[in-house]
Amino acid sequence: MKRERPRLRDRMSKPRGGFAGFRSRLRSRGKLDDETWDELEETLLLADVGAPMTAMLLEQVKARAAAEKVRDADALPALLEEAIAEALHAGADRSLRRAASGPSAWVLVGVNGVGKTTTIAKLAAREVDDGRRVLLAAADTFRAAAADQLVHWAERLGVEIVRAQEGADPGSVAFDALEASVSRGVDVVLVDTAGRLHTKTNLMEELKKVLRIVERTPGALQEVLLVLDATTGQNGLTQARQFTEAAGVTGVVLTKLDGTAKGGIVLAIEAELGVPVKLVGLGEAAEDLVDFDPAEFAAALVGADEANEETG
Amino acid sequence: MFDALSDRFDGIFKKLRGKGKLSDADVDAVAREIRLALLEADVHVAVVKRFVSEIKERAVGEEVTKSLTPGQQVIKIVHDELVAVLGGATGKLKGGSATPTVVMLAGLQGSGKTTVAAKLARHLEKEGKRVLLVAADLQRPAAVEQLRVLGERAGVPVFSEATDPVAVARAGVEEARRLGRNVVVLDTAGRIQIDADLMDELARMRDAVKPDDALLVLDAMTGQEAVNVAQTFAATLPLTGVVLTKLDGDARGGAALSLKEVTGLPIVFAGTGEKLDAFEAFHPDRMASRILGMGDVLTLIEKAEETFDVEQAARTEEKMRKGEFTLEDFLEQMQQMKKMGPIQNIIGMLPGMPKELRDAEIDEGELGRVEAIIRSMTPAERRDTHLINGSRRARIAAGSGRTTAQVNAVLKQFAGVQKMMKQLTKGGKKGRRGMQMPGMPGLS
């Protein structure tokens, strides 16, 4: 029944990004010198890891290299992989939370254009595959035709949907969706919200209101998922901060990881905010939404197990 | 953002004070901060590297002239360079001679193409053009519907058909000709630059409509990936410019700089909000300040340059060193300060001002009252406060509408300032060049 899911490192390492090139350059260099560290720094920065996090990771790798008396540059990727996996709280619980009884509401939030609606469709497909009853709540009443987009998915997946007119109160959509879910015995309610820049106070207030309405059904609100585009740079951390403060984000969905973008900003997000990445989007197809695996992600970033590839 | 950066710079400025020329070490220290600022703004690593080394070359040995501090001089150099790189004609399409002219939009998923299409159409209609929007994004569910709704809001007709994107594009241009519309704005599906099939489709659309303008739509929040994106799209389409979207957020938008450096394409328009008229010509100067995350400091430098009389500053400095700073000089300085705007704003802009002072409510009226007191003195009294005896104090109080006690307070505070200045300038032969900031009476 279940569709084959792609592996993160297979998708991320194609085409070869900076890290793969870094690997082969290291191999040709051999000894550890300043240039090696510069190159390592540059490669992390190119993956959008950000200057502060890069400095922290480099320090850790340096300390470890010194402690273990590493002289060969070839040993660095493994050390870096370890440091990255640690920054990612390797042991964190990344499963999606479910209510003990009654519907589980997962609310998707994020700035404009990150792929919230598409992620909802993929999530719905996953849940339907697992035999659960799913309802979509089209609470993005702002973007023109956003609800139409979701209706299209609901029809394709054969799931229920609650929608309202464009410009309607998103809170009322959430209210109707929760009420319908309780009475119809729905397992998972996926709430799509309008994209909003985290700097717009009134829109963040509107989001809070939607969440308050979901919370009126006791035990229903299980996940507030921040959808983050992997091409996002350092502003991703600011987004995560603001959405966490306003909406109590419980997890991150990293989308569009199928290009050459690495989404390195999630390292800073996990380190600073402790919000775990739960899912990653690796392509257009429904099965391309997969669970996040820190070790896989670290390996894909560093490219430690890749054979003699050319400079990327 | 600004607070953090200005505090960081403050440490460097302290070390730089009192130097006439920028040394290697000065420039290195500031260059490190510039590098971090650019990286934090998502400027591409390779671009940062090149940029910083160029700046260093230019800045070392530069005479520190009108600026506030040597550190700020470096920042000014960086800012000017940024504006130069980002600059060029903006807000204008290349256009063409055939009718209709065709503007094609392309970009990654979620960069804002459909919204830009409607905004651009409205913008062109305002310029008197007759626009047809063509919806060739048949990929994303309801994308055509979205453009129809937006087109209606913008009062611009929308064409689409359920065939394939290349056919829609071709038919759209035909339709524009038939309807007598003179510009076609062509919306295309978002695509990731490594998707060979979709990039090929883009190439076929290009061949079908021969666009006069091909604009890359890019999210201002884009990180290091911006360069890859721009290079690949530029290899497929004859790009004529970039539209930077979501600039109403707080992303620093360093991708703009990377794009300019790598592709040389002009950034034509900026999307600045959800509403259809939140669309404007791109401003290189604003963008430069934004990338550096220090718009305020630069504004201050510019204001100071505009208003500050260098000769006078040198005279004041000389006087301070000799301990000859008088109330007359103080009054002059107050006038200079006032020209720069409300004191509260200036203090907010100054790096290194203690937070308490930055947040303090400053009573501009109080400063005005101090000024009134000083202005009620005779020039001789201003030059030598020892002249001011009891009866003169009473006259000054009456003249300025204050009490004798308040006149006394100003005099006492000024005596304190004078004493402090003597101590400060006694050691060093040469004080910090530029604006001097004596403690101001009247600040609580």
Side-chain angles (χ1 to χ4, degrees):
Chain A
M1 276 304 275
K2 274 202 185 176
R3 280 172 278 228
E4 184 74 14
R5 292 193 187 284
R7 272 166 32 123
L8 190 143
R9 81 170 75 177
D10 295 342
R11 290 294 170 91
M12 266 185 77
S13 51
K14 277 185 294 185
R16 308 260 185 265
F19 279 99
F22 160 72
R23 279 279 299 163
S24 63
R25 285 197 297 277
L26 280 192
R27 221 172 277 126
S28 60
R29 174 163 292 125
K31 275 200 167 169
L32 273 181
D33 52 23
D34 277 359
E35 226 173 296
T36 311
W37 295 112
D38 283 355
E39 220 157 73
L40 185 54
E41 180 189 42
E42 192 170 306
T43 332
L44 284 167
L45 290 173
L46 276 173
D48 288 318
V49 170
M53 194 69 204
T54 295
M56 210 200 86
L57 288 171
L58 278 184
E59 245 167 64
Q60 285 182 10
V61 174
K62 267 184 194 167
R64 241 170 268 193
E68 294 169 24
K69 299 200 168 53
V70 172
R71 298 230 167 69
D72 189 5
D74 210 24
L76 286 190
L79 294 181
L80 180 60
E81 227 183 286
E82 260 174 60
I84 290 175
E86 255 164 52
L88 284 168
H89 303 283
D93 181 12
R94 295 172 192 277
S95 59
L96 294 165
R97 293 184 299 198
R98 294 171 196 282
S101 65
S104 304
W106 299 343
V107 182
L108 279 84
V109 302
V111 301
N112 315 61
V114 289
K116 283 177 297 299
T117 309
T118 307
T119 300
I120 290 235
K122 290 179 184 173
L123 258 179
R126 255 171 82 119
E127 293 299 306
V128 168
D129 262 7
D130 291 346
R132 296 197 181 87
R133 186 166 177 181
V134 176
L135 183 140
L136 309 182
D140 178 358
T141 55
F142 181 83
R143 181 164 58 94
D148 293 336
Q149 188 179 346
L150 208 59
V151 165
H152 166 93
W153 283 115
E155 280 166 7
R156 222 150 91 174
L157 297 165
V159 300
E160 292 154 84
I161 184 166
V162 169
R163 68 170 295 185
Q165 290 302 307
E166 207 177 294
D169 176 18
S172 74
V173 177
F175 181 84
D176 291 348
L178 265 294
E179 205 176 49
S181 301
V182 172
S183 67
R184 296 180 205 169
V186 163
D187 300 305
V188 180
V189 194
L190 296 169
V191 184
D192 189 20
T193 63
R196 65 201 75 222
L197 290 176
H198 49 287
T199 47
K200 310 251 156 123
T201 320
N202 55 338
L203 293 179
M204 293 307 268
E205 285 303 317
E206 180 199 87
L207 182 61
K208 286 186 198 169
K209 190 183 154 199
V210 170
L211 291 168
R212 278 198 300 273
I213 287 167
V214 174
E215 276 173 330
R216 274 195 220 163
T217 306
L221 183 61
Q222 290 294 320
E223 292 281 357
V224 178
L225 298 171
L226 174 71
V227 183
L228 193 77
D229 186 326
T231 56
T232 309
Q234 301 310 298
N235 193 249
L237 181 58
T238 318
Q239 287 171 31
R241 249 186 231 138
Q242 302 284 328
F243 272 100
T244 302
E245 194 175 304
V249 172
T250 57
V252 170
V253 183
L254 189 60
T255 59
K256 309 185 201 175
L257 207 54
D258 47 343
T260 44
K262 302 283 188 188
I265 192 63
V266 297
L267 293 178
I269 292 175
E270 289 220 352
E272 185 188 310
L273 301 169
V275 176
V277 182
K278 295 199 165 176
L279 300 164
V280 290
L282 298 175
E284 305 250 347
E287 61 272 20
D288 289 338
L289 184 71
V290 303
D291 292 338
F292 180 76
D293 179 333
E296 284 256 306
F297 184 75
L301 275 185
V302 181
D305 64 352
E306 281 173 29
N308 306 302
E309 68 280 359
E310 287 305 308
T311 302
Chain B
M1 187 72 77
F2 164 71
D3 281 358
L5 202 71
S6 71
D7 289 347
R8 280 215 307 258
F9 275 103
D10 181 45
I12 296 170
F13 290 161
K14 270 188 191 139
K15 287 181 216 134
L16 291 181
R17 266 168 208 163
K19 291 176 188 164
K21 268 187 185 171
L22 294 173
S23 72
D24 267 332
D26 297 343
V27 175
D28 273 350
V30 180
R32 252 193 309 279
E33 295 300 323
I34 303 280
R35 176 175 181 269
L36 283 176
L38 293 177
L39 284 173
E40 203 175 331
D42 293 319
V43 178
H44 191 270
V45 174
V47 177
V48 172
K49 232 189 215 172
R50 195 159 64 234
F51 201 83
V52 170
S53 75
E54 269 167 30
I55 291 297
K56 274 163 84 167
E57 232 162 78
R58 274 193 46 191
V60 172
E62 177 129 343
E63 196 84 26
V64 181
T65 50
K66 291 180 284 183
S67 70
L68 300 177
T69 69
Q72 286 174 326
Q73 174 100 357
V74 179
I75 295 163
K76 182 96 169 66
I77 294 171
V78 176
H79 184 259
D80 292 349
E81 187 63 29
L82 276 176
V83 174
V85 174
L86 289 167
T90 64
K92 286 270 176 290
L93 293 173
K94 191 171 129 281
S97 50
T99 307
T101 59
V102 178
V103 186
M104 187 169 170
L105 302 175
L108 297 178
Q109 287 99 337
S111 51
K113 284 174 300 303
T114 306
T115 309
V116 166
K119 286 178 172 180
L120 179 61
R122 191 182 159 103
H123 174 86
L124 292 170
E125 289 265 338
K126 272 193 201 154
E127 286 186 343
K129 304 271 173 34
R130 290 162 50 78
V131 182
L132 179 70
L133 278 164
V134 176
D137 178 359
L138 308 178
Q139 190 100 358
R140 180 163 56 95
V144 175
E145 188 54 33
Q146 184 185 353
L147 194 61
R148 281 195 199 284
V149 174
L150 292 176
E152 200 170 302
R153 256 184 239 164
V156 178
V158 178
F159 172 84
S160 192
E161 55 181 31
T163 49
D164 72 89
V166 182
V168 171
R170 195 180 286 123
V173 176
E174 272 313 307
E175 181 73 0
R177 209 165 277 140
R178 195 179 66 80
L179 294 172
R181 315 296 295 184
N182 47 26
V183 183
V184 168
V185 173
L186 178 61
D187 184 24
T188 65
R191 63 201 77 217
I192 196 150
Q193 80 277 11
I194 58 158
D195 188 324
D197 290 346
L198 281 176
M199 291 309 278
D200 179 58
E201 179 194 277
L202 210 54
R204 282 183 286 123
M205 287 169 92
R206 168 203 67 199
D207 295 342
V209 301
K210 303 205 170 36
D212 302 283
D213 276 277
L215 302 177
L216 176 68
V217 180
L218 192 90
D219 187 327
M221 296 179 268
T222 312
Q224 299 287 319
E225 187 70 355
V227 164
N228 285 337
V229 173
Q231 279 173 338
T232 329
F233 274 91
T236 307
L237 286 180
L239 290 180
T240 54
V242 176
V243 181
L244 207 57
T245 60
K246 303 177 205 175
L247 269 171
D248 46 333
D250 58 0
R252 302 256 296 274
L257 185 68
S258 310
L259 282 186
K260 262 314 273 217
E261 278 273 304
V262 173
T263 66
L265 291 169
I267 297 161
V268 192
F269 295 108
T272 54
E274 310 240 7
K275 299 218 171 71
L276 283 182
D277 48 9
F279 189 70
E280 52 187 50
F282 174 76
H283 296 284
D285 47 341
R286 280 189 218 162
M287 199 66 220
S289 302
R290 182 174 178 144
I291 288 174
L292 284 173
M294 51 193 332
D296 290 354
V297 170
L298 288 158
T299 309
L300 180 67
I301 295 174
E302 272 155 27
K303 276 191 178 167
E305 280 194 352
E306 271 166 28
T307 57
F308 212 76
D309 182 336
V310 185
E311 299 297 306
Q312 194 180 43
R315 277 203 310 277
T316 308
E317 186 188 313
E318 183 74 16
K319 281 182 174 172
M320 279 192 184
R321 261 194 293 139
K322 293 184 183 160
E324 292 168 0
F325 188 74
T326 66
L327 271 173
E328 206 157 43
D329 303 316
F330 181 68
L331 196 62
E332 233 169 46
Q333 291 225 324
M334 271 176 85
Q335 298 313 309
Q336 296 262 6
M337 294 277 291
K338 268 165 75 176
K339 272 193 261 171
M340 290 169 61
I343 301 286
Q344 185 82 71
N345 292 1
I346 293 169
I347 288 181
M349 285 190 269
L350 280 171
M353 276 290 157
K355 201 176 172 323
E356 304 78 54
L357 194 52
R358 225 181 279 159
D359 296 340
E361 286 287 322
I362 289 170
D363 185 357
E364 299 266 340
E366 184 59 32
L367 279 178
R369 287 188 279 276
V370 171
E371 194 185 329
I373 289 173
I374 299 174
R375 284 196 184 284
S376 298
M377 298 174 188
T378 65
E381 286 166 350
R382 284 180 218 159
R383 278 192 292 271
D384 184 5
T385 50
H386 299 293
L387 287 176
I388 304 172
N389 57 21
S391 72
R392 284 177 190 251
R393 276 167 216 248
R395 193 205 75 242
I396 292 165
S400 57
R402 317 301 301 165
T403 64
T404 318
Q406 281 167 320
V407 175
N408 286 339
V410 169
L411 287 173
K412 203 177 154 197
Q413 275 173 309
F414 181 69
V417 169
Q418 264 183 326
K419 200 173 149 197
M420 201 176 71
M421 276 184 184
K422 267 184 209 151
Q423 284 167 349
L424 278 179
T425 50
K426 210 179 273 172
K429 281 213 180 73
K430 206 155 188 251
R432 169 186 165 201
R433 291 191 66 159
M435 189 171 68
Q436 312 294 335
M437 286 264 304
M440 273 175 292
L443 291 185
S444 44

